[in-house]
Amino acid sequence: MWRHARHNTVVIDGDRRCAASMAQNRLSMLAVFFISAYLLIGIRLLDLGIVQTLDFRADISDTGAEGVAVKEIAARRGDMYDRNGFLVATSLKTPSLFVDPHLVLDAKALSNDLAKVLPDFDKLKAVKIMSAKNRFGWLAYDITPKQQQAILEIGDPSLGFKYNYKRIYPQGSLFAHLVGYADRDGLGLSGVERSFDDILARGDDVDLSLDLRLQHAVKREVSKAMTDFNAKAGVGLVLDAKTGELLSGVSLPDFDLNVVSVAKDNQKFNRLTLGVYELGSMFKIFSTAALLELRKVSMGKTFDARKPIKVGWFTIRDYHAQKRFLTVAEVFMHSSNIGTALMAKMVGSKALKDFYKDLGLLDRLRFDIKEVGRPITPKQDVWREDSTMTISYGHGISVSPLQMSAAVASIVNGGISVQPTLIKRGEGYHPKSEMRIISEKTSEKMRKLLRLVVNKGTGKNANVDGIAIGGKTGTAEKSVNGRYSKDKLISSFVGAFPIDNPEYIVMVMVDEPKGNKSSYGYATAGWVAAPAVKRIVNSMVSILGIPTDRYNPASDISLDLMSYVHDKDKRHKKGRTLASYE
Amino acid sequence: MIRSFLKYFIVFALLVFSGWNLMNVSMKVQKMESDVAVLDKKIAKEQEKIRVLNAEWAYLNNPERLEAAAALALGLKATKGEAVISKVDAIPEYVPDYEVNADGGETSSSISISYGYRQVGARQ
């Protein structure tokens, strides 16, 4: 078209020509610019409208099934599961009811209506909230879906709901002290809820080492022991002897995690890890192990247990005095205080203290919850001889039941220190650092001694058909107002099975049991705690499917020690076996 | 002249069509996005419902409750220790009460073996 126009153009020369051609140049540059811009837009339009539309269609049919990320309103606290994937703690979205006082027409009528729907609804308080000058007031927290429906049916425009997450513990009181609880704002206040707060708060789940089924069995048997013997409190636990996983931990009395506000201090107190107790003769396990490991004595070495020994102002006696020289095996089997004290003297104060320290009995236990008690031990840097001798049989040293079990696990599992944990370990887990406490050989000797106690000695009542269980009783007098009380006892039993290669440590402790008819009036460990351990092991057999046809009484490992046992065992009447004594 | 006009017309028509198509797609996308948002909400709601049901399921499977219920309704007791053995051969063979029905149809009732407990209730 420009060609036709050009015929009519006036030709201009000189300076003006220069200006005109410049204008023409600028115009054509602009034209080129616009043309290319429109071209670009056109091409892009074609590309988007036709080419990519086809691609888009293909895309939809390709990725139609892809998952959609669902955004959550607020950060939801992580769940907790037991080792088999059963739900232990979860957070559910629950509505809470609020009122806008500005919109309330008849405060009295409205609160009457609400009182019909909500149990324990405080009408007076509600009227006060509804007639306040502000524009917001809470009426009820965490109401159920049914209640919410009923309130919606009232249809009052001044009411409204806000949603937040409420912590729910479907197992109620079963894991009270270990799982712990969180407050309304989702801040962990005790147990794993507190110690793993940062992990749970970011929404990650926690897999616990605990086993729901075992936990129930342990709780059932400990509470049975408590009712049978009219006891004040009780503790029961099952520990994996190799990995240190706590499979079950019960502290009674306990409380329902869903209604923490009504729990009493006595119920909230964690006796498993926070409470420290004089556990008595169980310490003979460690004193004997120290003797065998450090002084390399033979099982046949004898100690003079003919008469009580005086140490300072204190006299060490035996509950059931044998009044003769006892071999190491006999001292352990009869739980002789005198014999053990003499053994400790032979080991020496420093060596015994170092040995206890290696076992972790003198320091606060490192554990996955923060409620852990510090052991009570003599203050001196070097234990006096009398302290050493009494500590050797568990007199004058207090530790928590879990700490005790972990130390026993370290002794029987081949001598490797066990670090208890509440978090599930994967298959084939190996601890990062392995600290050897005693040699494999000493560990084997100790296993034989522990089996001897259950097979022939004070722990007979813990014997389970078809399972070789080893263990040790511990009966201690409680200190009341600085004096030891004869009738207030702490009776406990720690067992390990199968004893030739222990996988589980089972411990029961009963606080202030009273003797009954079935125990011939005795409230000692052999009568109170040992049968409870037996019942727990029986339950474990069926729950975990532990075969009971592998044990052969003829090849019992404790029979190796019988040559060191010189009992004239006729003195004991039927029913009153050695188990009646500590 | 006409040919070049036709050329421009075709280009223009193509552009108009493309623009219309683009708008169409854009509308569809918007519709789909709002659908996705609705579905997202629905999914979140369903997931919340599932969480409530899981909690309820866990509550109903509380061993204490199950033990009482099993004793009451089924007369079941805990397995005894001696029932757990390692050799399958040691179990005596199951002899059913009847071999063949009178009318010759059905044979013995089958033994059902349950490995249930470990799997039931495992995490979803």
Side-chain angles (χ1 to χ4, degrees):
Chain A
M1 273 182 272
W2 299 330
R3 238 184 304 143
H4 307 290
R6 212 167 269 174
H7 290 291
N8 303 328
T9 36
V10 185
V11 179
I12 304 161
D13 272 334
D15 282 354
R16 288 188 174 183
R17 177 185 172 160
C18 221
S21 91
M22 216 163 79
Q24 197 183 13
N25 275 342
R26 284 179 180 167
L27 271 173
S28 50
M29 264 167 68
L30 261 176
V32 167
F33 172 75
F34 274 103
I35 287 166
S36 45
Y38 277 115
L39 261 176
L40 259 174
I41 292 172
I43 289 167
R44 182 72 180 134
L45 192 61
L46 287 173
D47 176 44
L48 281 176
I50 298 169
V51 182
Q52 288 202 23
T53 312
L54 300 173
D55 282 357
F56 177 68
R57 294 230 162 92
D59 275 355
I60 300 176
S61 49
D62 270 4
T63 58
E66 220 169 78
V68 187
V70 178
K71 275 189 217 158
E72 299 206 4
I73 317 147
R76 185 178 55 77
R77 200 171 165 83
D79 294 342
M80 276 192 239
Y81 295 90
D82 92 330
R83 66 184 300 111
N84 298 313
F86 286 97
L87 191 62
V88 170
T90 188
S91 288
L92 297 182
K93 217 163 88 180
T94 54
S96 291
L97 179 68
F98 70 86
V99 65
D100 178 355
H102 195 71
L103 298 177
V104 175
L105 297 174
D106 185 348
K108 251 190 187 163
L110 183 56
S111 53
N112 275 336
D113 284 346
L114 287 174
K116 278 178 211 151
V117 176
L118 303 166
D120 31 273
F121 183 75
D122 187 347
K123 279 195 243 177
L124 286 176
K125 203 177 146 200
V127 170
K128 216 182 238 173
I129 293 168
M130 286 175 192
S131 37
K133 285 276 178 294
N134 60 3
R135 297 213 55 179
F136 185 89
W138 287 115
L139 286 181
Y141 295 114
D142 302 328
I143 59 177
T144 66
K146 256 188 191 168
Q147 291 167 342
Q148 186 187 21
Q149 190 54 41
I151 291 167
L152 285 172
E153 276 161 17
I154 295 174
D156 195 288
S158 65
L159 299 176
F161 298 102
K162 282 205 173 189
Y163 295 86
N164 68 332
Y165 287 107
K166 184 183 187 323
R167 205 68 172 149
I168 304 278
Y169 304 94
Q171 309 303 339
S173 61
L174 205 49
F175 297 102
H177 298 95
L178 296 173
V179 164
Y181 49 89
D183 69 2
R184 273 195 61 77
D185 302 321
L187 183 75
L189 294 182
S190 82
V192 175
E193 291 274 26
R194 176 159 76 143
S195 54
F196 284 80
D197 195 40
D198 45 346
I199 290 172
L200 290 163
R202 52 165 203 257
D204 289 336
D205 296 345
V206 172
D207 286 327
L208 301 171
S209 66
L210 297 162
D211 187 320
L212 175 68
R213 305 162 299 168
L214 292 187
Q215 181 79 356
H216 167 64
V218 171
K219 184 179 169 180
R220 185 183 60 208
E221 300 310 342
V222 172
S223 59
K224 179 172 161 48
M226 279 172 63
T227 16
D228 284 358
F229 296 97
N230 200 9
K232 251 175 70 176
V235 167
L237 68 91
V238 178
L239 188 72
D240 187 310
K242 293 192 171 111
T243 63
E245 290 171 279
L246 190 64
L247 302 180
S248 161
V250 171
S251 164
L252 294 175
D254 57 8
F255 59 100
D256 190 343
L257 286 172
N258 294 307
V259 277
V260 177
S261 53
V262 300
K264 298 189 186 83
D265 284 350
N266 180 39
Q267 291 171 302
K268 280 189 183 174
F269 185 62
N270 180 349
R271 291 169 172 82
L272 186 69
T273 57
L274 185 59
V276 292
Y277 304 91
E278 279 191 291
L279 292 169
S281 305
M282 278 181 186
F283 279 87
K284 288 172 187 162
I285 299 172
F286 314 124
S287 309
T288 310
L291 181 83
L292 296 174
E293 174 75 14
L294 304 172
R295 296 291 170 260
K296 310 277 178 215
V297 302
S298 120
M299 279 288 183
K301 176 160 180 66
T302 55
F303 293 89
D304 180 4
R306 282 177 300 179
K307 51 181 190 289
I309 40 174
K310 258 195 135 119
V311 188
W313 50 271
F314 195 82
T315 309
I316 298 174
R317 300 169 194 282
D318 280 353
Y319 275 82
H320 181 70
Q322 301 288 311
K323 292 183 181 149
R324 59 190 172 90
F325 279 88
L326 298 173
T327 62
V328 173
E330 286 172 322
V331 166
F332 199 73
M333 176 180 147
H334 293 296
S335 198
S336 162
N337 292 343
I338 303 169
T340 312
L342 293 172
M343 284 178 175
K345 204 171 164 184
M346 191 175 165
V347 173
S349 286
K350 190 180 179 309
L352 193 73
K353 187 180 174 184
D354 288 347
F355 191 75
Y356 277 26
K357 196 162 178 71
D358 285 348
L359 281 167
L361 290 165
L362 303 183
D363 303 300
R364 202 163 164 267
L365 179 76
R366 271 189 302 134
F367 193 47
D368 291 332
I369 58 174
K370 289 179 179 169
E371 297 86 14
V372 176
R374 189 175 290 283
I376 302 172
T377 55
K379 297 254 177 341
Q380 312 99 348
D381 281 340
V382 182
W383 288 347
R384 291 199 315 265
E385 190 167 69
D386 55 341
S387 309
T388 309
M389 287 171 87
T390 58
I391 282 175
S392 74
Y393 60 88
H395 200 103
I397 181 167
S398 301
V399 299
S400 67
L402 181 62
Q403 199 166 14
M404 168 58 77
S405 308
V408 173
S410 313
I411 295 284
V412 298
N413 73 358
I416 305 294
S417 171
V418 165
Q419 172 65 45
T421 178
L422 265 176
I423 301 304
K424 185 182 176 182
R425 304 290 189 208
E427 295 274 321
Y429 163 81
H430 283 289
K432 277 176 208 144
S433 63
E434 290 191 345
M435 186 170 94
R436 180 163 286 283
I437 310 239
I438 54 171
S439 66
E440 186 76 52
K441 266 197 166 154
T442 310
S443 177
E444 196 192 335
K445 284 180 194 163
M446 289 311 299
R447 293 200 294 265
K448 286 179 180 172
L449 283 170
L450 288 164
R451 177 63 194 146
L452 183 68
V453 169
V454 177
N455 207 12
K456 305 276 176 195
T458 56
K460 274 182 185 165
N461 287 340
N463 242 328
V464 174
D465 285 345
I467 297 276
I469 169 168
K472 182 78 193 79
T473 53
T475 308
E477 290 167 359
K478 275 178 93 173
S479 160
V480 179
N481 300 326
R483 297 194 59 160
Y484 283 99
S485 160
K486 276 257 176 288
D487 50 328
K488 287 191 174 153
L489 303 177
I490 296 235
S491 297
S492 45
F493 186 87
V494 62
F497 79 94
I499 193 64
D500 36 312
N501 182 18
E503 285 177 43
Y504 306 102
I505 304 290
V506 183
M507 181 175 169
V508 166
M509 182 194 98
V510 183
D511 188 358
E512 288 189 25
K514 324 265 180 315
N516 66 16
K517 256 190 185 165
S518 74
S519 73
Y520 307 96
Y522 287 105
T524 47
W527 285 104
V528 176
V533 167
K534 173 192 177 151
R535 293 195 301 266
I536 291 172
V537 174
N538 255 328
S539 307
M540 288 174 73
V541 163
S542 53
I543 291 171
L544 301 176
I546 302 163
T548 55
D549 54 356
R550 294 211 175 120
Y551 167 66
N552 179 7
S555 57
D556 193 293
I557 59 167
S558 70
L559 296 180
D560 299 354
L561 299 176
M562 288 319 283
S563 53
Y564 304 110
V565 177
H566 315 291
D567 267 2
K568 298 160 256 154
D569 212 4
K570 301 286 168 270
R571 278 169 299 177
H572 310 301
K573 285 176 201 151
K574 210 183 165 197
R576 294 204 171 195
T577 58
L578 275 168
S580 46
Y581 311 101
E582 192 248 7
Chain B
M1 176 106 178
I2 290 172
R3 271 180 64 191
S4 78
F5 176 76
L6 197 70
K7 211 158 71 188
Y8 288 118
F9 179 78
I10 289 171
V11 169
F12 188 70
L14 213 62
L15 283 178
V16 168
F17 169 73
S18 175
W20 170 82
N21 201 16
L22 180 63
M23 200 178 79
N24 218 359
V25 168
S26 156
M27 298 284 277
K28 268 188 189 158
V29 167
Q30 278 181 30
K31 171 84 173 54
M32 278 177 172
E33 272 175 353
S34 77
D35 283 356
V36 166
V38 169
L39 284 175
D40 271 359
K41 260 193 176 165
K42 261 193 184 165
I43 290 171
K45 245 187 179 169
E46 289 301 318
Q47 281 178 342
E48 201 52 47
K49 271 188 199 163
I50 291 170
R51 296 183 60 78
V52 173
L53 290 174
N54 269 339
E56 220 168 293
W57 178 244
Y59 174 76
L60 291 172
N61 275 300
N62 182 311
E64 204 166 331
R65 184 188 161 277
L66 279 191
E67 198 173 69
L72 189 78
L74 304 174
L76 291 180
K77 276 186 198 162
T79 326
K80 282 197 178 134
E82 58 258 34
V84 185
I85 55 173
S86 56
K87 293 181 204 103
V88 184
D89 301 344
I91 307 171
E93 209 175 310
Y94 174 72
V95 184
D97 293 343
Y98 57 96
E99 289 284 298
V100 181
N101 261 353
D103 40 303
E106 294 199 356
T107 47
S108 66
S109 55
S110 62
I111 316 166
S112 70
I113 302 167
S114 154
Y115 304 101
Y117 198 64
R118 269 174 201 230
Q119 279 127 40
V120 167
R123 191 176 327 176
Q124 304 293 311

